[in-house]
Coordinates of all heavy atoms in Angstrom, one line a residue:
P1 N 3.8 -81.0 -1.5 CA 4.0 -79.6 -1.8 C 3.9 -78.7 -0.6 O 3.0 -78.9 0.2 CB 2.9 -79.3 -2.8 CG 2.0 -80.5 -2.9 CD 2.6 -81.6 -2.1
A2 N 4.8 -77.7 -0.5 CA 4.8 -76.8 0.6 C 4.1 -75.5 0.1 O 4.1 -75.2 -1.0 CB 6.2 -76.6 1.1
G3 N 3.6 -74.8 1.1 CA 3.0 -73.5 0.7 C 1.5 -73.4 1.0 O 1.0 -74.3 1.7
L4 N 0.9 -72.4 0.6 CA -0.5 -72.1 0.8 C -1.4 -72.8 -0.3 O -1.0 -72.9 -1.4 CB -0.8 -70.6 0.8 CG 0.0 -69.8 1.9 CD1 -0.3 -68.3 1.7 CD2 -0.4 -70.2 3.3
T5 N -2.6 -73.2 0.1 CA -3.6 -73.6 -0.9 C -4.1 -72.3 -1.6 O -3.8 -71.2 -1.1 CB -4.7 -74.3 -0.2 OG1 -5.5 -73.4 0.6 CG2 -4.3 -75.5 0.6
T6 N -4.8 -72.6 -2.6 CA -5.4 -71.4 -3.4 C -6.2 -70.6 -2.5 O -6.1 -69.3 -2.5 CB -6.2 -71.9 -4.6 OG1 -5.3 -72.7 -5.4 CG2 -6.7 -70.8 -5.4
E7 N -7.1 -71.2 -1.7 CA -8.0 -70.5 -0.8 C -7.2 -69.7 0.3 O -7.5 -68.6 0.6 CB -9.0 -71.4 -0.1 CG -10.0 -72.0 -1.0 CD -9.5 -73.2 -1.9 OE1 -8.4 -73.7 -1.5 OE2 -10.2 -73.5 -2.8
Q8 N -6.1 -70.4 0.8 CA -5.3 -69.7 1.8 C -4.6 -68.5 1.3 O -4.4 -67.5 1.9 CB -4.3 -70.7 2.4 CG -4.9 -71.8 3.3 CD -3.9 -72.8 3.7 OE1 -3.0 -73.1 3.0 NE2 -4.2 -73.5 4.9
F9 N -4.1 -68.7 0.0 CA -3.4 -67.6 -0.7 C -4.3 -66.4 -0.9 O -3.9 -65.3 -0.6 CB -2.8 -68.1 -2.0 CG -2.2 -67.0 -2.8 CD1 -0.9 -66.6 -2.5 CD2 -2.8 -66.5 -3.9 CE1 -0.3 -65.6 -3.3 CE2 -2.2 -65.5 -4.7 CZ -0.9 -65.0 -4.3
I10 N -5.5 -66.7 -1.3 CA -6.5 -65.6 -1.6 C -6.8 -64.9 -0.3 O -6.9 -63.7 -0.2 CB -7.8 -66.1 -2.3 CG1 -7.4 -66.5 -3.7 CG2 -8.9 -65.1 -2.3 CD1 -8.5 -67.3 -4.5
D11 N -7.0 -65.7 0.8 CA -7.3 -65.1 2.1 C -6.1 -64.2 2.6 O -6.3 -63.1 3.1 CB -7.6 -66.2 3.1 CG -8.9 -66.9 2.9 OD1 -9.8 -66.3 2.2 OD2 -9.1 -68.0 3.5
K12 N -4.9 -64.7 2.4 CA -3.7 -64.0 2.8 C -3.6 -62.7 2.0 O -3.3 -61.6 2.6 CB -2.5 -64.8 2.6 CG -1.2 -64.2 3.0 CD -1.1 -64.1 4.6 CE 0.3 -63.7 5.0 NZ 0.5 -63.7 6.4
V13 N -3.8 -62.7 0.7 CA -3.7 -61.5 -0.1 C -4.8 -60.5 0.3 O -4.6 -59.3 0.4 CB -3.8 -61.9 -1.6 CG1 -4.0 -60.6 -2.5 CG2 -2.6 -62.7 -2.1
A14 N -6.0 -61.0 0.5 CA -7.1 -60.1 0.9 C -6.8 -59.5 2.2 O -7.0 -58.3 2.4 CB -8.4 -61.0 1.0
W15 N -6.2 -60.2 3.2 CA -5.9 -59.7 4.5 C -4.8 -58.6 4.3 O -5.0 -57.5 4.9 CB -5.3 -60.8 5.4 CG -4.8 -60.4 6.7 CD1 -5.5 -60.0 7.8 CD2 -3.4 -60.2 7.1 NE1 -4.7 -59.6 8.8 CE2 -3.4 -59.8 8.4 CE3 -2.2 -60.5 6.4 CZ2 -2.2 -59.5 9.1 CZ3 -1.1 -60.2 7.1 CH2 -1.1 -59.7 8.4
R16 N -3.8 -58.8 3.5 CA -2.7 -57.8 3.3 C -3.2 -56.6 2.6 O -2.9 -55.5 2.9 CB -1.5 -58.5 2.6 CG -0.8 -59.5 3.4 CD 0.4 -60.0 2.7 NE 1.5 -59.3 3.2 CZ 2.8 -59.5 2.7 NH1 3.0 -60.4 1.8 NH2 3.8 -58.8 3.2
L17 N -4.1 -56.9 1.6 CA -4.6 -55.7 0.8 C -5.5 -54.9 1.7 O -5.5 -53.7 1.7 CB -5.5 -56.3 -0.4 CG -6.1 -55.2 -1.3 CD1 -5.0 -54.3 -1.9 CD2 -6.9 -55.9 -2.4
G18 N -6.3 -55.5 2.6 CA -7.1 -54.8 3.5 C -6.3 -53.9 4.4 O -6.6 -52.7 4.7
R19 N -5.2 -54.5 5.0 CA -4.3 -53.6 5.8 C -3.7 -52.5 5.0 O -3.6 -51.4 5.5 CB -3.1 -54.5 6.3 CG -3.6 -55.4 7.5 CD -2.4 -56.3 8.0 NE -1.2 -55.5 8.2 CZ 0.0 -56.0 8.3 NH1 0.1 -57.3 8.2 NH2 1.1 -55.3 8.4
Y20 N -3.3 -52.7 3.8 CA -2.8 -51.7 2.9 C -3.8 -50.6 2.7 O -3.5 -49.4 2.8 CB -2.3 -52.3 1.6 CG -1.8 -51.3 0.6 CD1 -0.6 -50.7 0.7 CD2 -2.6 -51.0 -0.5 CE1 -0.1 -49.9 -0.3 CE2 -2.2 -50.1 -1.5 CZ -1.0 -49.5 -1.4 OH -0.5 -48.6 -2.3
L21 N -5.0 -50.9 2.4 CA -6.1 -49.9 2.1 C -6.4 -49.1 3.3 O -6.6 -47.9 3.2 CB -7.3 -50.6 1.5 CG -7.1 -51.2 0.1 CD1 -8.4 -52.0 -0.3 CD2 -6.8 -50.2 -0.9
V22 N -6.4 -49.8 4.5 CA -6.7 -49.0 5.7 C -5.5 -48.0 6.0 O -5.8 -46.9 6.3 CB -6.8 -50.0 6.9 CG1 -6.7 -49.3 8.2 CG2 -8.1 -50.8 6.8
A23 N -4.3 -48.4 5.7 CA -3.1 -47.5 5.9 C -3.2 -46.3 5.0 O -3.0 -45.2 5.4 CB -1.8 -48.3 5.7
I24 N -3.6 -46.6 3.7 CA -3.7 -45.5 2.8 C -4.9 -44.6 3.2 O -4.7 -43.3 3.2 CB -4.0 -46.0 1.4 CG1 -2.7 -46.7 0.8 CG2 -4.5 -44.9 0.4 CD1 -2.9 -47.3 -0.5
R25 N -6.0 -45.1 3.6 CA -7.1 -44.3 4.1 C -6.7 -43.4 5.3 O -7.0 -42.2 5.3 CB -8.3 -45.2 4.4 CG -9.6 -44.3 4.8 CD -10.6 -45.1 5.5 NE -10.1 -45.6 6.8 CZ -10.4 -46.7 7.4 NH1 -11.2 -47.5 6.9 NH2 -9.9 -47.0 8.6
D26 N -6.0 -44.0 6.2 CA -5.6 -43.3 7.4 C -4.6 -42.2 7.0 O -4.7 -41.1 7.6 CB -5.0 -44.2 8.4 CG -6.0 -45.1 9.1 OD1 -7.2 -44.9 8.9 OD2 -5.5 -46.1 9.7
D27 N -3.8 -42.4 6.1 CA -2.8 -41.4 5.6 C -3.5 -40.3 5.0 O -3.2 -39.1 5.2 CB -1.8 -42.0 4.7 CG -0.7 -41.1 4.3 OD1 -0.2 -40.4 5.3 OD2 -0.3 -41.0 3.1
V28 N -4.5 -40.6 4.1 CA -5.3 -39.5 3.5 C -6.1 -38.7 4.5 O -6.1 -37.5 4.4 CB -6.3 -40.2 2.4 CG1 -7.3 -39.1 1.9 CG2 -5.5 -40.7 1.3
E29 N -6.7 -39.3 5.5 CA -7.4 -38.6 6.5 C -6.4 -37.7 7.3 O -6.8 -36.6 7.6 CB -8.1 -39.6 7.5 CG -9.3 -40.3 6.9 CD -9.9 -41.3 7.8 OE1 -9.3 -41.6 8.9 OE2 -10.9 -42.0 7.4
Q30 N -5.2 -38.1 7.6 CA -4.2 -37.3 8.3 C -3.9 -36.1 7.4 O -3.7 -35.0 7.8 CB -3.0 -38.1 8.7 CG -3.2 -39.0 9.8 CD -2.0 -39.7 10.2 OE1 -1.0 -39.8 9.4 NE2 -2.0 -40.3 11.4
Q31 N -3.7 -36.3 6.1 CA -3.4 -35.2 5.2 C -4.5 -34.2 5.1 O -4.2 -33.0 5.0 CB -3.1 -35.8 3.8 CG -1.8 -36.5 3.6 CD -1.6 -37.1 2.2 OE1 -2.5 -36.9 1.3 NE2 -0.6 -37.8 2.1
D32 N -5.8 -34.7 5.2 CA -6.9 -33.7 5.2 C -6.9 -32.9 6.5 O -7.4 -31.8 6.5 CB -8.2 -34.5 5.2 CG -8.5 -35.1 3.8 OD1 -7.8 -34.7 2.8 OD2 -9.3 -36.0 3.7
M33 N -6.3 -33.4 7.6 CA -6.3 -32.7 8.8 C -5.2 -31.6 8.8 O -5.3 -30.6 9.6 CB -6.1 -33.6 10.0 CG -7.3 -34.5 10.2 SD -7.0 -35.9 11.4 CE -6.1 -35.1 12.7
V34 N -4.2 -31.7 8.0 CA -3.1 -30.8 7.9 C -3.6 -29.6 7.1 O -4.1 -29.7 6.0 CB -1.9 -31.4 7.2 CG1 -0.8 -30.4 7.1 CG2 -1.4 -32.6 8.1
S35 N -3.4 -28.4 7.6 CA -3.8 -27.2 6.9 C -2.6 -26.3 6.6 O -1.6 -26.5 7.2 CB -4.9 -26.4 7.7 OG -4.4 -26.0 8.9
A36 N -2.8 -25.3 5.8 CA -1.8 -24.4 5.5 C -1.4 -23.6 6.7 O -2.3 -23.3 7.6 CB -2.2 -23.5 4.4
P37 N -0.2 -23.2 6.9 CA 0.2 -22.4 8.1 C -0.5 -21.0 8.0 O -0.7 -20.5 6.9 CB 1.7 -22.3 8.1 CG 2.0 -22.6 6.7 CD 1.0 -23.5 6.1
M38 N -0.7 -20.5 9.2 CA -1.3 -19.1 9.2 C -0.3 -18.1 8.5 O 0.9 -18.2 8.6 CB -1.5 -18.7 10.6 CG -2.6 -19.5 11.3 SD -2.9 -19.1 13.1 CE -2.7 -17.4 13.1
R39 N -0.9 -17.1 7.8 CA -0.1 -16.1 7.1 C 0.8 -15.3 8.1 O 1.8 -14.8 7.7 CB -0.9 -15.2 6.3 CG -1.6 -15.9 5.1 CD -2.4 -14.9 4.3 NE -3.0 -15.6 3.2 CZ -2.6 -15.4 1.9 NH1 -1.8 -14.5 1.7 NH2 -3.2 -16.0 1.0
S40 N 0.4 -15.3 9.4 CA 1.1 -14.5 10.4 C 2.5 -15.1 10.6 O 3.4 -14.4 11.2 CB 0.3 -14.3 11.7 OG 0.1 -15.6 12.2
F41 N 2.7 -16.3 10.2 CA 4.0 -16.9 10.4 C 5.0 -16.5 9.3 O 6.2 -16.8 9.4 CB 3.9 -18.4 10.4 CG 3.2 -18.9 11.7 CD1 2.2 -19.8 11.5 CD2 3.6 -18.5 12.9 CE1 1.5 -20.2 12.7 CE2 3.0 -19.0 14.0 CZ 1.9 -19.8 13.9
R42 N 4.6 -15.8 8.3 CA 5.4 -15.4 7.2 C 6.3 -14.2 7.6 O 5.9 -13.4 8.4 CB 4.6 -14.9 6.0 CG 3.9 -16.1 5.3 CD 3.1 -15.7 4.1 NE 2.4 -16.8 3.5 CZ 1.7 -16.7 2.5 NH1 1.6 -15.5 1.8 NH2 1.1 -17.7 2.0
R43 N 7.5 -14.1 7.0 CA 8.5 -13.0 7.4 C 7.9 -11.7 7.0 O 8.1 -10.7 7.7 CB 9.8 -13.3 6.7 CG 10.6 -14.3 7.4 CD 11.9 -14.4 6.7 NE 11.7 -15.4 5.6 CZ 12.4 -15.5 4.5 NH1 13.4 -14.8 4.3 NH2 12.1 -16.4 3.6
N44 N 7.2 -11.5 5.9 CA 6.8 -10.2 5.4 C 5.3 -9.9 5.9 O 4.7 -9.0 5.4 CB 6.8 -10.2 3.9 CG 5.9 -11.2 3.3 OD1 5.4 -12.1 3.9 ND2 5.7 -11.1 2.0
Y45 N 4.9 -10.6 6.9 CA 3.6 -10.3 7.5 C 3.6 -9.1 8.4 O 4.4 -9.0 9.3 CB 3.1 -11.5 8.4 CG 1.7 -11.4 8.9 CD1 0.6 -11.7 8.2 CD2 1.5 -11.0 10.3 CE1 -0.7 -11.6 8.7 CE2 0.3 -10.9 10.8 CZ -0.8 -11.2 10.0 OH -2.1 -11.1 10.5
N46 N 2.9 -8.1 8.0 CA 3.0 -6.8 8.7 C 1.7 -6.1 8.7 O 1.5 -5.0 8.2 CB 4.1 -5.9 8.1 CG 4.5 -4.7 9.0 OD1 4.2 -4.8 10.2 ND2 5.1 -3.7 8.4
V47 N 0.7 -6.7 9.3 CA -0.7 -6.1 9.4 C -0.8 -5.0 10.5 O -0.3 -5.2 11.6 CB -1.7 -7.2 9.6 CG1 -3.1 -6.6 9.9 CG2 -1.8 -8.2 8.5
D48 N -1.4 -3.9 10.1 CA -1.6 -2.8 11.1 C -2.7 -3.2 12.0 O -3.9 -3.1 11.6 CB -1.8 -1.5 10.3 CG -2.0 -0.3 11.2 OD1 -2.2 -0.5 12.5 OD2 -1.9 0.8 10.7
K49 N -2.5 -3.7 13.2 CA -3.5 -4.2 14.1 C -4.4 -3.1 14.5 O -5.6 -3.3 14.7 CB -2.9 -4.9 15.3 CG -2.0 -6.0 15.0 CD -2.7 -7.3 14.7 CE -1.8 -8.4 14.3 NZ -2.0 -9.7 14.7
V50 N -4.0 -1.9 14.7 CA -4.8 -0.7 15.1 C -5.8 -0.4 14.0 O -7.0 -0.3 14.3 CB -3.9 0.5 15.4 CG1 -4.8 1.7 15.7 CG2 -3.0 0.2 16.7
A51 N -5.3 -0.4 12.8 CA -6.2 -0.1 11.6 C -7.2 -1.2 11.5 O -8.4 -1.0 11.1 CB -5.4 0.1 10.3
L52 N -6.8 -2.4 11.7 CA -7.7 -3.6 11.6 C -8.8 -3.5 12.6 O -9.9 -3.7 12.3 CB -6.9 -4.9 11.7 CG -7.6 -6.2 11.5 CD1 -8.1 -6.3 10.1 CD2 -6.7 -7.4 11.8
Q53 N -8.4 -3.2 13.8 CA -9.4 -3.0 14.9 C -10.4 -1.9 14.6 O -11.6 -2.0 14.8 CB -8.8 -2.8 16.3 CG -9.7 -2.7 17.4 CD -10.5 -4.1 17.6 OE1 -9.8 -5.1 17.8 NE2 -11.8 -4.1 17.7
Q54 N -9.9 -0.8 14.0 CA -10.8 0.3 13.6 C -11.8 -0.1 12.5 O -12.9 0.3 12.6 CB -10.0 1.5 13.2 CG -9.2 2.2 14.3 CD -8.2 3.3 13.8 OE1 -7.9 3.3 12.6 NE2 -7.7 4.1 14.7
L55 N -11.3 -0.8 11.6 CA -12.1 -1.3 10.5 C -13.2 -2.3 11.1 O -14.4 -2.2 10.7 CB -11.3 -2.1 9.4 CG -12.0 -2.6 8.2 CD1 -12.6 -1.4 7.4 CD2 -11.1 -3.4 7.3
F56 N -12.8 -3.2 12.0 CA -13.7 -4.1 12.6 C -14.8 -3.3 13.4 O -16.0 -3.5 13.2 CB -13.0 -5.0 13.6 CG -13.9 -6.0 14.3 CD1 -14.2 -7.2 13.7 CD2 -14.5 -5.7 15.5 CE1 -15.0 -8.1 14.3 CE2 -15.3 -6.6 16.1 CZ -15.6 -7.8 15.5
D57 N -14.4 -2.3 14.2 CA -15.3 -1.5 15.0 C -16.3 -0.8 14.1 O -17.4 -0.6 14.5 CB -14.5 -0.6 15.9 CG -13.8 -1.3 17.0 OD1 -14.1 -2.5 17.3 OD2 -12.8 -0.7 17.5
E58 N -15.8 -0.3 12.9 CA -16.7 0.4 12.0 C -17.8 -0.4 11.5 O -19.0 0.1 11.4 CB -15.9 0.9 10.8 CG -16.6 1.7 9.8 CD -15.8 2.2 8.6 OE1 -14.5 2.3 8.8 OE2 -16.4 2.4 7.6
Y59 N -17.6 -1.7 11.3 CA -18.7 -2.6 10.8 C -19.4 -3.4 11.9 O -20.4 -4.0 11.6 CB -18.1 -3.5 9.7 CG -17.7 -2.7 8.5 CD1 -16.5 -2.3 8.2 CD2 -18.7 -2.3 7.6 CE1 -16.1 -1.5 7.1 CE2 -18.5 -1.6 6.5 CZ -17.1 -1.2 6.2 OH -16.9 -0.4 5.1
D60 N -18.9 -3.4 13.1 CA -19.6 -4.0 14.2 C -20.6 -2.9 14.7 O -20.4 -2.3 15.7 CB -18.6 -4.3 15.3 CG -19.3 -5.0 16.5 OD1 -20.4 -5.5 16.3 OD2 -18.6 -5.0 17.6
R61 N -21.7 -2.7 13.9 CA -22.6 -1.7 14.2 C -23.3 -1.8 15.5 O -23.6 -0.8 16.2 CB -23.7 -1.6 13.1 CG -23.1 -1.4 11.7 CD -22.8 0.0 11.5 NE -22.0 0.2 10.3 CZ -22.4 0.6 9.1 NH1 -23.7 0.7 8.9 NH2 -21.6 0.8 8.1
D62 N -23.6 -3.0 16.0 CA -24.3 -3.1 17.3 C -23.3 -3.2 18.5 O -23.7 -3.4 19.6 CB -25.2 -4.4 17.2 CG -24.5 -5.6 16.9 OD1 -23.3 -5.6 16.7 OD2 -25.3 -6.7 16.7
K63 N -22.0 -3.1 18.2 CA -21.0 -3.1 19.2 C -21.0 -4.3 20.1 O -20.8 -4.1 21.3 CB -21.0 -1.8 20.0 CG -21.0 -0.5 19.1 CD -19.7 -0.4 18.3 CE -19.7 0.8 17.4 NZ -18.9 0.6 16.2
T64 N -21.2 -5.4 19.6 CA -21.2 -6.7 20.4 C -19.9 -7.3 20.5 O -19.7 -8.3 21.2 CB -22.2 -7.7 19.8 OG1 -21.8 -8.0 18.5 CG2 -23.6 -7.1 19.8
G65 N -18.9 -6.9 19.6 CA -17.6 -7.5 19.6 C -17.6 -8.7 18.6 O -16.6 -9.4 18.5
T66 N -18.7 -8.8 17.9 CA -18.8 -9.8 16.8 C -19.4 -9.1 15.6 O -20.1 -8.1 15.7 CB -19.7 -11.0 17.2 OG1 -21.0 -10.6 17.5 CG2 -19.1 -11.8 18.4
I67 N -19.2 -9.7 14.4 CA -19.8 -9.2 13.2 C -20.8 -10.2 12.7 O -20.5 -11.4 12.5 CB -18.7 -8.9 12.2 CG1 -17.8 -7.8 12.6 CG2 -19.3 -8.6 10.8 CD1 -16.7 -7.5 11.6
T68 N -22.0 -9.7 12.6 CA -23.1 -10.6 12.0 C -22.9 -10.8 10.6 O -22.0 -10.1 9.9 CB -24.5 -10.0 12.2 OG1 -24.6 -8.8 11.5 CG2 -24.7 -9.7 13.7
I69 N -23.6 -11.8 10.0 CA -23.4 -12.0 8.5 C -23.8 -10.8 7.7 O -23.2 -10.5 6.7 CB -24.2 -13.3 8.1 CG1 -23.8 -13.7 6.7 CG2 -25.7 -13.0 8.2 CD1 -22.5 -14.3 6.6
T70 N -24.8 -10.0 8.2 CA -25.2 -8.8 7.5 C -24.1 -7.8 7.6 O -23.8 -7.1 6.6 CB -26.5 -8.3 8.1 OG1 -27.5 -9.3 8.0 CG2 -27.0 -7.0 7.4
E71 N -23.5 -7.6 8.8 CA -22.4 -6.7 8.9 C -21.2 -7.1 8.0 O -20.6 -6.2 7.4 CB -22.0 -6.6 10.4 CG -23.0 -5.9 11.3 CD -22.8 -6.1 12.8 OE1 -22.2 -7.1 13.2 OE2 -23.3 -5.2 13.5
L72 N -21.0 -8.4 8.0 CA -19.9 -8.9 7.1 C -20.2 -8.6 5.7 O -19.3 -8.1 4.9 CB -19.7 -10.4 7.3 CG -18.6 -11.0 6.5 CD1 -17.2 -10.5 6.7 CD2 -18.6 -12.6 6.7
E73 N -21.4 -8.8 5.3 CA -21.8 -8.6 3.9 C -21.6 -7.1 3.5 O -21.1 -6.8 2.5 CB -23.3 -9.0 3.7 CG -23.8 -8.7 2.3 CD -25.3 -9.0 2.1 OE1 -25.9 -9.5 3.1 OE2 -25.8 -8.7 1.1
N74 N -22.1 -6.2 4.4 CA -21.9 -4.8 4.2 C -20.4 -4.4 4.1 O -20.0 -3.6 3.2 CB -22.5 -4.0 5.3 CG -24.0 -4.0 5.3 OD1 -24.7 -4.3 4.3 ND2 -24.6 -3.9 6.5
M75 N -19.6 -5.0 4.9 CA -18.2 -4.7 4.9 C -17.6 -5.2 3.5 O -16.8 -4.4 2.9 CB -17.4 -5.3 6.0 CG -15.9 -5.1 6.0 SD -15.1 -5.8 7.5 CE -15.3 -7.5 7.2
L76 N -17.8 -6.4 3.1 CA -17.3 -7.0 1.9 C -17.7 -6.2 0.7 O -17.0 -6.0 -0.3 CB -17.6 -8.5 1.8 CG -16.9 -9.3 2.9 CD1 -17.4 -10.8 2.7 CD2 -15.4 -9.2 2.9
V77 N -19.0 -5.8 0.7 CA -19.5 -5.0 -0.5 C -18.8 -3.7 -0.6 O -18.4 -3.3 -1.6 CB -21.1 -4.9 -0.4 CG1 -21.6 -3.9 -1.4 CG2 -21.7 -6.3 -0.6
T78 N -18.7 -3.0 0.6 CA -18.1 -1.7 0.6 C -16.6 -1.8 0.2 O -16.1 -1.0 -0.6 CB -18.1 -1.1 2.0 OG1 -19.5 -1.0 2.4 CG2 -17.5 0.2 2.1
L79 N -15.9 -2.9 0.6 CA -14.5 -3.0 0.2 C -14.4 -3.6 -1.2 O -13.3 -3.6 -1.7 CB -13.8 -4.0 1.2 CG -13.8 -3.5 2.6 CD1 -13.2 -4.5 3.5 CD2 -12.9 -2.2 2.7
G80 N -15.5 -4.0 -1.8 CA -15.4 -4.5 -3.2 C -14.9 -5.9 -3.4 O -14.4 -6.2 -4.4
V81 N -15.0 -6.7 -2.3 CA -14.5 -8.1 -2.4 C -15.6 -9.1 -2.1 O -15.3 -10.2 -1.9 CB -13.3 -8.3 -1.4 CG1 -12.1 -7.4 -1.9 CG2 -13.7 -7.9 0.0
A82 N -16.8 -8.6 -2.0 CA -17.9 -9.6 -1.8 C -18.1 -10.5 -2.9 O -18.0 -10.2 -4.1 CB -19.2 -8.8 -1.6
P83 N -18.3 -11.8 -2.6 CA -18.6 -12.8 -3.7 C -19.9 -12.5 -4.3 O -20.9 -12.6 -3.6 CB -18.5 -14.1 -3.0 CG -18.8 -13.8 -1.5 CD -18.3 -12.5 -1.3
M84 N -20.0 -12.2 -5.6 CA -21.2 -11.8 -6.3 C -21.8 -13.0 -7.0 O -21.0 -13.9 -7.4 CB -20.9 -10.7 -7.2 CG -20.3 -9.5 -6.6 SD -21.2 -8.7 -5.3 CE -22.3 -7.7 -6.3
L85 N -23.1 -13.1 -7.1 CA -23.7 -14.2 -7.9 C -23.3 -14.1 -9.3 O -23.0 -15.1 -9.9 CB -25.2 -14.1 -7.8 CG -25.8 -14.3 -6.4 CD1 -27.3 -14.1 -6.4 CD2 -25.5 -15.8 -6.0
D86 N -23.1 -12.9 -9.9 CA -22.6 -12.7 -11.2 C -21.2 -12.1 -11.1 O -21.1 -10.9 -10.8 CB -23.6 -11.8 -12.0 CG -23.1 -11.6 -13.4 OD1 -22.0 -12.1 -13.8 OD2 -23.9 -10.9 -14.2
P87 N -20.2 -12.8 -11.3 CA -18.8 -12.3 -11.1 C -18.5 -11.1 -12.0 O -17.7 -10.3 -11.6 CB -17.9 -13.5 -11.5 CG -18.7 -14.7 -11.4 CD -20.1 -14.2 -11.7
L88 N -19.2 -10.9 -13.1 CA -19.0 -9.7 -13.9 C -19.5 -8.5 -13.3 O -19.1 -7.4 -13.7 CB -19.7 -10.0 -15.3 CG -19.2 -11.2 -16.1 CD1 -20.0 -11.4 -17.3 CD2 -17.7 -11.0 -16.4
K89 N -20.3 -8.6 -12.3 CA -20.9 -7.4 -11.6 C -20.0 -6.9 -10.5 O -20.2 -5.8 -10.0 CB -22.3 -7.7 -11.0 CG -23.3 -8.2 -12.0 CD -24.0 -7.0 -12.5 CE -25.2 -7.6 -13.4 NZ -25.8 -6.6 -14.1
R90 N -19.0 -7.6 -10.1 CA -18.1 -7.2 -9.0 C -17.4 -5.9 -9.4 O -16.9 -5.7 -10.5 CB -17.0 -8.3 -8.8 CG -16.1 -7.8 -7.7 CD -15.1 -8.9 -7.3 NE -15.9 -9.9 -6.5 CZ -15.5 -11.2 -6.4 NH1 -14.4 -11.6 -6.9 NH2 -16.3 -12.0 -5.7
G91 N -17.5 -5.0 -8.5 CA -16.9 -3.7 -8.7 C -17.8 -2.7 -9.4 O -17.4 -1.5 -9.6
S92 N -19.0 -3.1 -9.8 CA -19.8 -2.2 -10.5 C -20.8 -1.4 -9.7 O -21.2 -0.3 -10.1 CB -20.7 -3.0 -11.5 OG -21.6 -3.8 -10.9
A93 N -21.0 -1.8 -8.4 CA -21.9 -1.1 -7.5 C -21.1 0.2 -7.0 O -20.0 0.2 -6.8 CB -22.3 -2.0 -6.4
S94 N -21.9 1.2 -6.7 CA -21.3 2.4 -6.2 C -20.7 2.2 -4.9 O -19.7 2.8 -4.5 CB -22.3 3.6 -6.2 OG -23.4 3.2 -5.3
S95 N -21.2 1.2 -4.1 CA -20.6 0.9 -2.8 C -19.3 0.2 -2.9 O -18.6 0.1 -1.9 CB -21.6 0.1 -2.0 OG -21.8 -1.1 -2.6
D96 N -19.0 -0.3 -4.1 CA -17.7 -1.0 -4.3 C -16.5 0.0 -4.5 O -15.4 -0.4 -4.5 CB -17.7 -1.9 -5.5 CG -18.7 -3.1 -5.3 OD1 -19.0 -3.3 -4.1 OD2 -19.0 -3.7 -6.3
K97 N -16.8 1.3 -4.7 CA -15.8 2.3 -4.9 C -15.1 2.6 -3.6 O -15.7 2.6 -2.5 CB -16.4 3.5 -5.5 CG -17.2 3.3 -6.7 CD -16.4 3.1 -8.0 CE -17.2 3.0 -9.2 NZ -17.9 1.8 -9.4
P98 N -13.8 2.9 -3.6 CA -13.1 3.3 -2.4 C -13.8 4.5 -1.8 O -14.4 5.3 -2.4 CB -11.7 3.6 -2.9 CG -11.6 3.0 -4.2 CD -12.9 2.9 -4.8
R99 N -13.7 4.6 -0.5 CA -14.3 5.7 0.3 C -13.8 7.0 -0.3 O -12.6 7.2 -0.6 CB -13.9 5.6 1.7 CG -14.6 4.4 2.3 CD -14.4 4.4 3.8 NE -14.8 3.1 4.3 CZ -14.0 2.3 5.0 NH1 -12.8 2.6 5.3 NH2 -14.5 1.1 5.4
G100 N -14.7 8.0 -0.4 CA -14.3 9.3 -0.9 C -14.3 9.4 -2.4 O -14.2 10.5 -2.9
V101 N -14.6 8.3 -3.1 CA -14.6 8.4 -4.6 C -16.1 8.3 -5.0 O -16.8 7.5 -4.5 CB -13.8 7.2 -5.2 CG1 -14.0 7.2 -6.7 CG2 -12.4 7.3 -4.8
V102 N -16.5 9.2 -5.9 CA -17.9 9.2 -6.3 C -18.0 8.7 -7.7 O -17.2 8.8 -8.5 CB -18.5 10.7 -6.3 CG1 -19.9 10.7 -6.7 CG2 -18.3 11.2 -4.9

């Protein structure tokens, strides 16, 4: 009889299955590394950079060129987009109202 013994066949299948599983794992890891493209690559992307810098400067209270977590929290609460512990409370704080609205 020609061919593999039962033990050889099992070893061969295990070897091929191992290679297959490694290839799948590597493919999944590469997919995890791929991220969505930046929104600035979209055709309709038109952010006012001057206004953005003014907004940043307004909340960079210590003028370090960075925003601390506290400064970020203040900005997000003021803009009404802060993640709240109770989502039903979003927009209920007076600081969540647009500027100039009482």
